Amino acid sequence: MSDAMDAYWQLQPLARTLATAIFVTSIGGHLGLIPTGWLFFHSSLAIFHMPPQIWRFLTTFLLSGPQLGIILDPYFVYQYLSQIESGNPKFQRKEDVLWYLITVSGFILLFTQCFLGFQPFLISALIIALCYTASQDSRGMKANFFFFTVPAQLVPYCMLGMSVIMNPAALPQQICGILAAHLHDFLVRTWPEFGGGRNWLATPAFVSRLVTTPRILQREYGTGFRPRTQTSGSSTGASAGSGPLPDSWKTRGTGHRLG
């Protein structure tokens, strides 16, 4: 059990967290442990309700399909997001990946609301958006799609073709997902590099602060603590206050034990 937990904690952190959230939410939703009425997105509830139920912006991406979808959807999310998190040159930092998830999810919500109307759960759009982003930097490489080997950049379109046969209802959502990922790629890379424009989706500072290294660090050989920032006027040796030593000795430094 400990080996499995160690392997789990060694996975890519953002991909691991999102896939786990999808799996747990889907188990609870499909078994009736979590009311799905509290998970779906609707603008009248998420925006115009008082107070706004802002968690729906997130939970609309967390409910997978039933049966095999409970396993496959978290698997695909982890597979594609871990590729983005570990080997994509566009995302040098963890906060860049987090900002990518925020912006692409926002684009998906915008496109589905404008073009499709009410769409309660959007995980299929998110999966194909992640697949599109992960595959664009793998041009010239081959990828396995079920029993076939195809150029890596064609995998999202193979997923669209599979949906035409097996699940046509998911096709409009998936098209919105590809549009969202393509728009992100255009604004972040294509337009700045080839159009001479600026990057309109640069990672803001507040996202960087969200992923700042915490004071408590988990290490393989134990737990480390970052020192707190000392207030001005405090000495390096002992804290201010009464003690057994004379006041004149308190300015002599930290001292060293002899022998």
Side-chain angles (χ1 to χ4, degrees):
M1 184 65 180
S2 61
D3 292 340
M5 291 304 300
D6 290 342
Y8 174 80
W9 289 112
Q10 290 175 5
L11 300 175
Q12 294 296 330
L14 291 176
R16 176 191 69 210
T17 302
L18 183 57
T20 302
I22 292 172
F23 180 75
V24 173
T25 304
S26 301
I27 288 288
H30 291 299
L31 294 181
L33 303 176
I34 301 175
T36 56
W38 285 88
L39 302 178
F40 69 85
F41 178 84
H42 197 284
S43 58
S44 63
L45 297 173
I47 302 174
F48 302 109
H49 186 272
M50 290 299 165
Q53 298 176 359
I54 58 175
W55 66 84
R56 294 180 184 271
F57 286 98
L58 172 63
T59 55
T60 186
F61 296 100
L62 298 184
L63 189 70
S64 72
Q67 300 175 358
L68 282 179
I70 297 176
I71 301 297
L72 293 179
D73 287 349
Y75 169 77
F76 286 130
V77 166
Y78 177 81
Q79 178 183 1
Y80 297 129
L81 186 54
S82 63
Q83 292 178 26
I84 296 172
E85 193 173 352
S86 61
N88 195 302
K90 271 197 313 184
F91 308 103
Q92 301 293 331
R93 306 169 300 170
K94 297 299 181 185
E95 51 263 44
D96 298 332
V97 182
L98 178 59
W99 183 239
Y100 161 80
L101 286 173
I102 294 173
T103 52
V104 166
S105 298
F107 289 152
I108 291 174
L109 281 168
L110 177 63
F111 291 153
T112 54
Q113 292 295 305
C114 291
F115 302 140
L116 305 180
F118 176 62
Q119 295 287 311
F121 298 105
L122 300 170
I123 190 171
S124 61
L126 178 61
I127 290 174
I128 202 168
L130 295 174
C131 178
Y132 180 92
T133 301
S135 63
Q136 290 309 297
D137 289 292
S138 302
R139 290 180 177 273
M141 301 177 63
K142 298 294 184 179
N144 293 323
F145 184 77
F146 290 98
F147 304 105
F148 305 97
T149 300
V150 298
Q153 68 271 19
L154 297 183
V155 172
Y157 304 103
C158 293
M159 294 175 67
L160 286 178
M162 185 65 65
S163 294
V164 172
I165 300 173
M166 301 183 62
N167 187 16
L171 189 62
Q173 266 195 32
Q174 292 179 331
I175 293 175
C176 289
I178 288 182
L179 290 176
H182 180 75
L183 178 59
H184 181 277
D185 186 69
F186 175 81
L187 294 176
V188 170
R189 180 170 54 183
T190 305
W191 176 243
E193 292 184 5
F194 302 102
R198 55 171 294 189
N199 179 1
W200 291 98
L201 293 178
T203 305
F206 78 89
V207 178
S208 298
R209 287 193 291 270
L210 288 176
V211 295
T212 300
T213 303
R215 180 172 174 264
I216 300 177
L217 303 176
Q218 297 295 332
R219 301 170 176 167
E220 294 180 359
Y221 50 85
T223 302
F225 293 84
R226 291 183 178 273
R228 296 185 182 274
T229 303
Q230 295 182 354
T231 58
S232 58
S234 61
S235 63
T236 306
S239 59
S242 61
L245 298 177
D247 291 340
S248 61
W249 288 22
K250 295 180 180 178
T251 60
R252 299 301 180 182
T254 58
H256 299 278
R257 182 177 179 178
L258 301 178

